[in-house]
Amino acid sequence: MARPRFVIEASEAESMAKQSNLTVVQLLPSLVKSAQSLARVPISKFHVGAVGYGSSGRIFFGVNLEFPGLPLHYSVHAEQFLVTNLSIQSEPRLDYVAVSAAPCGHCRQFFQKIRRAQDINILITSDESGDDGNHNPCGQFSPLRHLLPHRFGPEDLLGEDVPLVLEKHNNALSFIKKPETFGDDLISHALEAANRAALVDFIVSGGGGYEKIVAAVLVEKEDALVKQEQAARLLLQTISPKVEFRVLHCK
């Protein structure tokens, strides 16, 4: 059985569009149902799919994830998954998004982590957008600014030189004390992926069921004001109780 795909390379996307007599952007809405089928939603049974088109010409999928036994805020929304997928694949810019349902307020704000997010074009494929008359006409993309007209973004807090999501940056982190064992490859990946959603990476890479997660490493700054250790520990204990979990501090 072929593993689910969350990335379509540019050449294949062009070929698929050509076979349908469409542009790649016009192809996006037709892929939304395929994305929805990959959602993991044992609680709500409400499948959300998001399909994005990046500046490289590649197509990316995003889906929602839910975790029984955990608070709802542990859920991963399809739009969050999509943006993280782009980040994992080093995609520099998101230009178009087709999504099966109107983004919630949280996701509209989450998009603002991308520079010039207001210029991303979005299409909601469902018949009802959930907005009072401010939805996209069928088959037409419109700027994201229409869904969040009075936005609050990183530019309200940070300087222009601070890299945002999808922009190249190096956290310049180093271990305070690195253990001599416990999987050097896993530790290196954890350091490289600091501030990246490892669970999305696991799914995109074809990891399969959560029970296949046997070891996990969280790297975070020792003096961080916001810490992820307890949240990560609770999530992992719930979805893969036998996982070996280690926290390494860096500076």
Side-chain angles (χ1 to χ4, degrees), residues 10 13-14 24-25 28 51-60 82 86 91 93-98:
E14 287 284 356
V24 176
V25 171
L28 300 184
V51 180
Y53 178 67
S55 57
S56 70
R58 293 181 293 176
I59 292 175
F60 301 85
L82 174 66
L86 268 78
E91 182 69 21
R93 194 173 74 242
L94 175 62
D95 292 332
Y96 291 87
V97 180

Side-chain angles (χ1 to χ4, degrees), residues 25-99:
V25 171
Q26 291 171 334
L27 181 69
L28 300 184
S30 69
L31 299 174
V32 169
K33 288 191 180 297
S34 294
Q36 286 180 270
S37 69
L38 301 176
R40 302 185 181 190
V41 285
I43 300 174
S44 70
K45 312 298 184 185
F46 187 75
H47 293 69
V48 180
V51 180
Y53 178 67
S55 57
S56 70
R58 293 181 293 176
I59 292 175
F60 301 85
F61 283 12
V63 303
N64 55 329
L65 310 174
E66 297 172 350
F67 309 102
L70 290 174
L72 285 177
H73 68 261
Y74 274 75
S75 300
V76 178
H77 298 207
E79 295 86 346
Q80 292 175 299
F81 191 116
L82 174 66
V83 173
T84 304
N85 191 7
L86 268 78
S87 179
I88 291 169
Q89 307 298 332
S90 301
E91 182 69 21
R93 194 173 74 242
L94 175 62
D95 292 332
Y96 291 87
V97 180
V99 62

Side-chain angles (χ1 to χ4, degrees), residues 23 95 119 126 134-135 142 150 161 172 188 213 219 230 232 242 251:
T23 66
D95 292 332
D119 296 328
S126 62
N134 292 320
H135 61 281
S142 63
H150 305 293
D161 58 333
S188 297
I213 302 174
V219 174
Q230 297 307 318
K242 295 182 179 180
K251 58 184 179 179

Side-chain angles (χ1 to χ4, degrees), residues 119-153:
D119 296 328
I120 295 172
N121 290 286
I122 188 168
L123 169 66
I124 301 166
T125 62
S126 62
D127 293 333
E128 297 181 6
S129 71
D131 290 279
D132 296 331
N134 292 320
H135 61 281
N136 304 343
C138 181
Q140 295 184 15
F141 287 85
S142 63
L144 188 61
R145 67 169 66 91
H146 293 166
L147 294 183
L148 193 62
H150 305 293
R151 61 189 295 275
F152 180 86

